[in-house]
Amino acid sequence: MKKTLFDKVWDAHVVKEMKDKQQILYIDKHLIHEVTSPQAFNELEQRGIPVFRPKQIVATADHNTPTIDQHLPVKDEMSRNQLNQLSKNCSKNNITLYDLGHKYNGIAHVMSPELGITQPGMTMVCGDSHTSTHGAFGTIAFGIGTSQVAQVFASQSLLLQKPKSLRITVDGDLKPGVLPKDVILYIIAKLGTNSGTGYFCEYAGTVFQEMSMEGRMTVCNMSIEMGARGGMIAPDETTFNYIKGREFAPKGNDFDKKVAYWKTLPTDPGASFDQEYHLDAQDIEPMITFGTNPGMGIKINESIPSEDNASFEKSLAYMNFEKGQSLIDQQVNYVFIGSCTNGRIEDFRAAAKFIEGKVKADHVTAWFVPGSQQVAKQIEEEGLKEIFEQAGFQLRQPGCSACLAMNDDKIPEGEYCVSTSNRNFEGRQGQGARTILASPLVAAATAINGKIIDITKQFV
Amino acid sequence: MDKFTKITSSAIPLAIENIDTDQIIPARFLKATDKKGFGENLFRDWRFDKNGKINNDFPLNDKRFSGSILVAGDNFGCGSSREHAAWAVHGYGIKVVVSSFFADIFKGNALNNGVLPVQVSPSFLKNIFEAIQNDSDTEIEVDLENQEITILSNQNFESFEINSYKKTCLINGYDDIDFLVSMKEDIQAFEKARVE
């Protein structure tokens, strides 16, 4: 039988088929962080159940961490307590933790791939919906709730019903200035925020074949924003080259053996999907969002559409935008470059390329937050830090930061923020904050100009 | 987990689409290390303004509406995987959420906390909203055993889907951990037999 990439990886992890279409799925790697794990540890402790496979768990502190003065004790008491709880739980259960300040610390979905923990053909979970990021490697990776975190602690498995399959094919050449973030924002705007619910999505076509691993991660990361539990891209030479030599990647003969297996994973020609979409790369332009869900996106030089729908109007009222309005020249006082979506080295390179030799607009507060310690180091080594500093930007320390504003990196009420993160929900970046999602290039251009500019004009 | 069989209650209407988990429970309330107290902050930023002043127009604050059933617009619970959203819903006293569509992770989280997500057709959802509009005391009956939801005032009803395993879990108050732990031998055998 012809199988999809998803089928191959899923079927290889089914421990047992139960009745009612339920299957026990084995989980290879479990990433945990401070916010969604404490209650799961408590649950196990209350029931007297030990952690079954601690070596397959990797912990990091990322969601609730400051992005300045990380060497000092965390000021906020509840945050400090949550972080302490993670350390205690990890040491008690023999789980590797990359705590604040550790050279491998960073956002789970940035740290794990760059250390070679994430590998093709694996199943991975984390109590975070953006776990879909790891699908860029041809991995089945998805976000889970805390009850499921406890289940994986207890059994290294989950009881699941196999999702339906969806394939989105984008062929053709991307226009200049169109980044992977624009590709996924375009897909979500085109298909809608719940178009992927119940599905696992494969991204196929020349656009993804030619994309870097960082770009593929950006795309897979936002699969959840169209409702899909996960997104996947077939592993290829780009994938193998990325993994080779990384800290926890297989070495020597083992690596070659793995590659031989990974090469068998791509979807068989003629395999069928429950749903398919075909899109043309030439239709994609730099994107921005205007509303309060990631599906409310437009091409940067388009006007806000008109829809007679109470929820749509509520959303525009929150953003203080009007139907038919263009966002070009919209003044913006805050810019955030970072997150598990766009906090990798390539994102900072894209921003630096635009920023080099320019100076930021006076009224803009911009937070540049690397996704991990390793990204921070690379930014410094490549001389990007200097470019940012000369332009008037300050590089902060790694973490989720203003993407969800659990720490002090909050956008004030009523302010617009052009953000490279993944969600523009009401209050996501702080109570009353208004988020406009965009690529690192559009964010950098906004930070320099102090307003949204038509970036496509830079490429004519 | 609480056992769930049948519930008859008035309902709180929340006719907004795409309600995400950041609205259900904003991130700044995720710093706790236990499951207590989330109910107080359910829909915090819709219920209260920045200074803590109550928003009387919001259905949860509207004295006409009460009950253990929340009726919400399409695509409820999208966004983050935070189970805190399900704890907030449960903690507030909601036992059933009715919508025409649920996001996957929220649905699973709700079921793992004894909260039943009932997916109905868009027309039936409209019917419920109208019935509550006409009479805020309208009672709705959710019968898990027979998988039926009924608007008692007009006797309109619809059947709903639920995975039979999950249904058994809810009725008996079981969860997956005990089951998975009981499967350990199979899991260990799988680990042993694995060849990639």
Side-chain angles (χ1 to χ4, degrees):
Chain A
M1 201 188 123
K2 288 172 176 128
K3 282 180 155 192
T4 65
L5 162 65
F6 174 70
D7 289 334
K8 292 181 194 181
V9 182
W10 181 281
D11 295 350
H13 289 84
V14 175
V15 173
K16 199 171 184 172
E17 303 252 359
M18 308 306 295
K19 54 176 189 173
D20 310 322
K21 293 186 191 160
Q22 297 284 109
Q23 295 176 320
I24 300 174
L25 190 78
Y26 190 78
I27 303 301
D28 293 317
K29 291 281 174 206
H30 186 191
L31 306 175
I32 62 169
H33 61 85
E34 73 278 23
V35 177
T36 58
S37 67
Q39 293 87 350
F41 280 113
N42 293 347
E43 188 76 44
L44 250 66
E45 215 164 279
Q46 279 161 19
R47 296 180 189 222
I49 302 172
V51 173
F52 183 50
R53 293 288 180 247
K55 286 199 169 61
Q56 285 166 246
I57 308 171
V58 180
T60 185
D62 57 5
H63 277 66
N64 194 5
T65 54
T67 55
I68 44 169
D69 295 334
Q70 287 186 352
H71 61 291
L72 299 176
V74 175
K75 280 189 205 149
D76 179 79
E77 196 191 328
M78 284 188 87
S79 305
R80 196 171 61 237
N81 178 43
Q82 204 173 47
L83 291 162
N84 288 341
Q85 197 70 45
L86 180 70
S87 310
K88 270 190 222 158
N89 285 331
C90 288
S91 68
K92 208 192 288 177
N93 293 288
N94 293 316
I95 294 167
T96 302
L97 164 66
Y98 301 133
D99 212 347
L100 268 193
H102 190 284
K103 65 175 177 172
Y104 294 155
N105 175 256
I107 306 173
H109 316 312
V110 178
M111 168 276 285
S112 170
E114 73 188 1
L115 289 176
I117 296 169
T118 304
Q119 293 166 24
M122 282 182 168
T123 48
M124 293 181 77
V125 293
C126 173
D128 185 279
S129 60
H130 293 111
T131 307
S132 57
T133 310
H134 308 271
F137 292 79
T139 307
I140 288 186
F142 53 93
I144 55 176
T146 297
S147 295
Q148 291 176 307
V149 171
Q151 291 160 24
V152 181
F153 281 163
S155 69
Q156 204 57 38
S157 302
L158 285 170
L159 190 62
L160 298 165
Q161 206 171 321
K162 189 176 178 180
K164 290 180 283 183
S165 64
L166 160 72
R167 179 163 62 185
I168 298 173
T169 306
V170 189
D171 281 316
D173 293 324
L174 290 175
K175 291 180 182 174
V178 173
L179 271 53
K181 180 63 163 288
D182 299 307
V183 175
I184 188 64
L185 283 174
Y186 174 82
I187 291 172
I188 302 165
K190 188 104 183 157
L191 306 182
T193 47
N194 63 13
S195 55
T197 308
Y199 293 93
F200 228 84
C201 174
E202 179 175 342
Y203 301 96
T206 56
V207 163
F208 306 110
Q209 284 162 15
E210 286 158 19
M211 213 175 251
S212 67
M213 287 316 294
E214 285 86 350
R216 292 178 189 182
M217 284 189 252
T218 300
V219 170
C220 290
N221 173 277
M222 288 189 72
S223 302
I224 184 70
E225 310 312 334
M226 58 177 176
R229 262 325 250 290
M232 296 176 92
I233 293 173
D236 58 10
E237 290 301 323
T238 306
T239 322
F240 313 147
N241 289 334
Y242 179 96
I243 296 169
K244 197 172 187 175
R246 291 189 184 260
E247 185 71 32
F248 300 109
K251 307 274 174 343
N253 240 350
D254 284 348
F255 182 78
D256 297 338
K257 265 197 236 160
K258 284 281 183 189
V259 169
Y261 169 64
W262 296 341
K263 282 183 175 168
T264 68
L265 294 174
T267 295
D268 298 329
S272 70
F273 289 81
D274 295 306
Q275 179 71 259
E276 287 228 50
Y277 297 102
H278 291 270
L279 302 169
D280 183 353
Q282 282 292 305
D283 290 339
I284 309 176
E285 300 270 353
M287 299 286 292
I288 44 168
T289 62
F290 60 88
T292 56
N293 72 56
M296 298 176 84
I298 49 175
K299 295 173 181 172
I300 197 159
N301 48 23
E302 274 180 344
S303 301
I304 295 174
S306 292
E307 237 182 76
D308 284 323
N309 166 312
S311 296
F312 183 84
E313 281 161 6
K314 180 179 186 297
S315 186
L316 283 196
Y318 179 85
M319 293 300 290
N320 199 25
F321 288 148
E322 280 166 24
K323 293 174 187 176
Q325 184 183 340
S326 159
L327 295 188
I328 303 294
D329 291 334
Q330 170 66 51
Q331 190 185 315
V332 171
N333 297 335
Y334 288 84
V335 170
F336 171 58
I337 299 183
S339 84
C340 59
T341 312
N342 282 125
R344 297 185 184 80
I345 187 63
E346 196 172 87
D347 303 311
F348 290 97
R349 285 186 196 136
K353 198 173 161 205
F354 183 88
I355 287 168
E356 189 161 20
K358 300 186 181 86
V359 176
K360 83 167 189 75
D362 281 342
H363 60 86
V364 168
T365 301
W367 294 324
F368 287 23
V369 185
S372 69
Q373 291 285 0
Q374 301 229 83
V375 173
K377 195 166 152 238
Q378 222 171 335
I379 288 173
E380 206 155 330
E381 283 168 2
E382 293 185 15
L384 310 182
K385 191 179 174 196
E386 242 178 300
I387 295 174
F388 296 142
E389 281 172 358
Q390 276 166 10
F393 299 111
Q394 192 204 348
L395 197 66
R396 298 179 75 110
Q397 291 171 301
C400 297
S401 179
C403 173
L404 85 164
M406 267 195 86
N407 65 0
D408 289 337
D409 305 346
K410 292 178 170 62
I411 309 300
E413 188 171 12
E415 290 286 353
Y416 292 107
C417 176
V418 170
S419 176
T420 66
S421 54
N422 40 57
R423 289 187 175 134
N424 50 353
F425 297 152
E426 282 186 31
R428 172 81 179 179
Q429 296 192 291
Q431 272 182 280
R434 295 167 172 151
T435 304
I436 296 169
L437 300 176
S439 75
L441 172 63
V442 169
T446 309
I448 294 294
N449 292 280
K451 59 182 186 178
I452 296 172
I453 62 159
D454 184 355
I455 195 79
T456 61
K457 294 220 165 89
Q458 311 261 331
F459 297 101
V460 265
Chain B
M1 206 168 73
D2 309 338
K3 291 181 185 179
F4 191 114
T5 44
K6 191 198 262 189
I7 272 174
T8 306
S9 166
S10 54
I12 306 168
L14 206 50
I16 303 167
E17 291 170 10
N18 300 314
I19 294 177
D20 58 76
T21 50
D22 274 85
Q23 308 319 312
I24 301 173
I25 186 83
R28 64 182 186 281
F29 298 114
L30 309 188
K31 296 180 181 183
T33 52
D34 57 26
K35 297 181 186 177
K36 290 182 218 119
F38 289 102
E40 284 165 43
N41 295 313
L42 175 71
F43 297 116
R44 176 76 200 191
D45 294 342
W46 284 348
R47 277 163 65 201
F48 302 95
D49 75 4
K50 215 184 164 190
N51 304 316
K53 195 172 157 262
I54 194 160
N55 170 12
N56 287 314
D57 295 335
F58 188 64
L60 266 74
N61 296 334
D62 189 326
K63 294 209 163 52
R64 289 175 299 162
F65 307 123
S66 63
S68 55
I69 299 175
L70 181 71
V71 187
D74 200 59
N75 198 25
F76 184 83
C78 58
S80 149
S81 63
R82 60 186 72 163
E83 194 159 317
H84 312 68
W87 300 333
V89 168
H90 180 262
Y92 188 83
I94 303 290
K95 301 263 192 285
V96 176
V97 184
V98 182
S99 177
S100 48
F101 199 86
F102 288 93
D104 278 338
I105 308 181
F106 177 82
K107 195 196 239 173
N109 287 342
L111 288 166
N112 283 333
N113 287 279
V115 172
L116 177 64
V118 174
Q119 186 168 325
V120 296
S121 66
S123 62
F124 193 77
L125 185 70
K126 207 172 150 220
N127 200 332
I128 302 177
F129 279 133
E130 281 168 4
I132 301 171
Q133 193 98 47
N134 292 338
D135 174 10
S136 58
D137 293 330
T138 295
E139 290 207 308
I140 292 167
E141 183 185 272
V142 177
D143 180 347
L144 177 59
E145 196 92 57
N146 295 308
Q147 295 179 222
E148 251 174 30
I149 174 168
T150 310
I151 305 168
L152 293 181
S153 57
N154 60 19
Q155 286 301 310
N156 278 224
F157 70 96
E158 199 171 86
S159 54
F160 61 86
E161 295 285 323
I162 180 168
N163 175 284
S164 54
Y165 167 76
K166 281 290 170 195
K167 180 175 166 179
T168 313
C169 286
L170 276 177
I171 290 173
N172 297 301
Y174 297 156
D175 63 28
D176 291 353
I177 294 189
D178 299 324
F179 170 75
L180 286 166
V181 170
S182 76
M183 299 303 292
K184 225 164 224 180
E185 273 180 28
D186 291 83
I187 295 166
Q188 277 163 332
F190 172 86
E191 285 176 325
K192 230 172 163 181
R194 262 180 106 187
V195 268
E196 275 187 347

